[in-house]
Amino acid sequence: MPIPHLSTALRGPILDLENRILKATPTIEHWLRGKWRDHNVPFYCSVDLRNSGFKLAPVDTNLFPGGFNNLNPEFTPLCVQAMMTAVEKICPDVHSVLLIPENHTRNFFYLQNIASLQNIMQHAGMHVRIGTLLPHITTATKIDLPDGNTLTLEPIIRKNNRLSVNNFDPCAILLNNDLSTGIPSILQNLDQVVIPPTHAGWATRRKSKHFLAYDNVAQEFANLIDIDPWLINPLFSSCGKINFHEKQGEDCVASATNEILSNLQEKYTQYGVKEKPFVIIKADSGTYGMGIMTVKDGADIYALNRKQRNKMAVVKEGLPVSNVLVQEGVYTFESINQAVAEPVIYMIDHYVVGGFYRVHTGRGVDENLNAPGMHFVPLAFETTCQSPNRTAQPDCIPNRFYAYGVVARLALLAAALELEQAVVAAKETISA
């Protein structure tokens, strides 16, 4: 399955980096095929990218993607084909799946994502029902969605080491719940296949571990096509024992910020970049854009006001932040209707199946866009030229998207390595 023929919001001249990726297409695809043979690819994944015009890099990788409803409906055949491959690899005999979502019964946009995911799997030939972890749902509950569809949530039944819902014994459990608050006992020690594995959840996963794995992937890829790895890789560090309310751990965060800013300034000077470097401080686990701020000087850490400290102190479900990722800020110079935008690339197995733009009218090019007030613009198919088309003009837009698909798959590969390392670490802990 090739990269879809898609349009992007950035219409300027294609970057030298993108040209290098385009020219190396056969080498890249051969290299990636070898990686997919050697490693277990996450079942599905979404990657937030930022294109600064001089750099193209992933800034976040989500192993429980919650925006399938934001994909262009034209992508459904791609999703179905990739879903068939993903399921066959994990369990060829799977014909029924229990889908377990987040506990967001009031978030209709998220529930539309679950309905879209259920639809994709049904078109891939599977029976799919939706089980909820919410204790107050004790009977099948039908929910009407804004787009006219409906969703039925059912209470999960555990008997011995199998999960089911009424008159439905599934072969596999598909999680679309990122387990931020921990791995509930009902999901532990099951005889059924659980995808993604529970150790992919935020109860144990750390963004710093992911970007450490991405460091290795980016270096190997850079050697493959002879580029500076920094062009696809954000600098980062991490700090623990953080308490923003009590001002604990501030020295580590401030020091890491200043070190990254200093290294960034050297890179900006090397590449003739005139913008001012900045750093993003974010919680080392969790999603939904919580616990994130932009910093342009280490001294800013000491000067946070009460509102800023409260914002950084907790993430989803009110969980306290005790570890942070200090990450190079990557500008985004893409825009839709004069609003700042960033592409989010969706993958099922190792196939790019589409994506959308996260757009925010109230945020700047150096700010986190995953925040209240954002909206989504589905990527459209581009019909003017093929993707990738190495004989097309340099500003052929689908060629730019091919580069996006390559970098997103590098993040996917890093996630595969990250999860493998997590399994090894867990076994070492048990044996110790």
Side-chain angles (χ1 to χ4, degrees):
M1 187 190 302
I3 299 293
H5 302 187
L6 303 174
S7 180
T8 73
L10 195 61
R11 296 276 167 174
I14 207 161
L15 302 177
D16 175 65
L17 169 63
E18 293 166 333
N19 266 324
R20 284 177 177 265
I21 290 176
L22 203 60
K23 290 176 181 177
T25 296
T27 301
I28 292 170
E29 295 301 329
H30 178 266
W31 178 76
L32 283 172
R33 282 194 296 272
K35 295 300 182 183
W36 307 141
R37 284 194 301 268
D38 294 340
H39 302 285
N40 293 321
V41 187
F43 185 79
Y44 51 14
C45 176
S46 67
V47 178
D48 296 358
L49 297 178
R50 305 273 286 203
N51 191 340
S52 63
F54 54 86
K55 178 167 186 158
L56 173 61
V59 294
D60 207 3
T61 301
N62 187 357
L63 297 181
F64 300 86
F68 282 95
N69 57 308
N70 297 316
L71 297 181
N72 191 318
E74 291 180 307
F75 294 150
T76 299
L78 295 174
C79 293
V80 170
Q81 186 178 351
M83 184 66 72
M84 289 177 175
T85 300
V87 171
E88 287 170 3
K89 285 172 59 176
I90 292 171
C91 185
D93 297 327
V94 166
H95 54 80
S96 56
V97 175
L98 181 64
L99 173 55
I100 300 180
E102 297 277 0
N103 297 336
H104 294 328
T105 52
R106 294 187 182 91
N107 186 333
F108 288 109
F109 293 112
Y110 173 74
L111 292 178
Q112 286 176 177
N113 154 74
I114 292 298
S116 297
L117 189 54
Q118 182 181 33
N119 179 61
I120 291 168
M121 299 190 78
Q122 287 173 337
H123 277 87
M126 283 166 279
H127 299 291
V128 184
R129 286 169 66 177
I130 303 167
T132 179
L133 297 172
L134 289 169
H136 67 268
I137 294 184
T138 57
T139 60
T141 303
K142 184 178 177 181
I143 299 175
D144 295 320
L145 302 177
D147 60 4
N149 291 317
T150 60
L151 198 67
T152 300
L153 299 180
E154 302 182 69
I156 296 174
I157 302 166
R158 176 159 178 160
K159 187 174 182 180
N160 298 323
N161 290 329
R162 294 186 66 84
L163 299 186
S164 63
V165 293
N166 188 39
N167 294 321
F168 184 74
D169 185 21
C171 304
I173 310 298
L174 176 60
L175 297 178
N176 198 251
N177 183 312
D178 65 19
L179 307 177
S180 291
T181 57
I183 304 170
S185 57
I186 198 170
L187 292 178
Q188 296 178 20
N189 303 313
L190 294 175
D191 292 336
Q192 293 143 305
V193 176
V194 179
I195 44 179
T198 54
H199 62 264
W202 287 123
T204 53
R205 187 175 177 233
R206 295 293 176 266
K207 296 176 185 179
S208 53
K209 297 288 186 182
H210 172 75
F211 282 101
L212 190 62
Y214 185 79
D215 255 351
N216 296 326
V217 171
Q219 183 64 61
E220 186 175 347
F221 181 79
N223 292 339
L224 182 74
I225 67 169
D226 192 25
I227 62 169
D228 179 351
W230 177 75
L231 295 174
I232 57 169
N233 189 13
L235 304 175
F236 77 96
S237 184
S238 60
C239 291
K241 299 181 180 178
I242 303 296
N243 186 318
F244 283 99
H245 281 145
E246 302 295 331
K247 300 185 178 182
Q248 294 175 1
E250 288 185 333
D251 289 345
C252 177
V253 179
S255 175
T257 297
N258 285 332
E259 182 177 357
I260 289 176
L261 288 171
S262 176
N263 292 334
L264 268 181
Q265 190 56 66
E266 290 182 13
K267 283 295 185 182
Y268 278 24
T269 300
Q270 177 184 343
Y271 286 97
V273 178
K274 303 303 181 185
E275 280 75 18
K276 184 178 177 64
F278 68 100
V279 160
I280 296 290
I281 313 294
K282 61 176 75 172
D284 204 11
S285 61
T287 183
Y288 292 95
M290 302 179 73
I292 300 178
M293 65 178 175
T294 301
V295 175
K296 296 187 177 180
D297 191 305
D300 296 343
I301 303 300
Y302 300 107
L304 296 179
N305 58 37
R306 180 178 296 179
K307 181 179 179 181
Q308 291 169 319
R309 291 183 184 279
N310 288 340
K311 177 184 174 184
M312 291 299 298
V314 296
V315 288
K316 180 185 170 189
E317 307 285 354
L319 296 173
V321 174
S322 58
N323 296 272
V324 297
L325 182 74
V326 185
Q327 186 180 56
E328 170 189 347
V330 181
Y331 283 95
T332 177
F333 291 138
E334 300 194 70
S335 64
I336 294 177
N337 297 327
Q338 287 75 56
V340 178
E342 65 183 11
V344 183
I345 309 303
Y346 267 57
M347 289 160 285
I348 297 176
D349 197 77
H350 64 273
Y351 299 110
V352 175
V353 295
F356 50 83
Y357 273 99
R358 180 183 287 117
V359 184
H360 205 301
T361 57
R363 293 290 175 106
V365 296
D366 60 350
E367 293 183 285
N368 166 50
L369 304 187
N370 190 1
M374 63 183 170
H375 66 278
F376 305 102
V377 177
L379 290 170
F381 278 96
E382 183 74 42
T383 59
T384 55
C385 51
Q386 295 180 344
S387 172
N389 185 345
R390 288 177 290 151
T391 63
Q393 295 297 314
D395 61 351
C396 174
I397 300 305
N399 283 347
R400 167 162 284 135
F401 188 86
Y402 175 73
Y404 289 6
V406 168
V407 175
R409 285 182 290 165
L410 296 182
L412 177 70
L413 174 57
L417 298 175
E418 170 198 356
L419 294 183
E420 288 174 5
Q421 291 160 6
V423 171
V424 171
K427 289 180 178 178
E428 291 176 346
T429 300
I430 293 172
S431 63

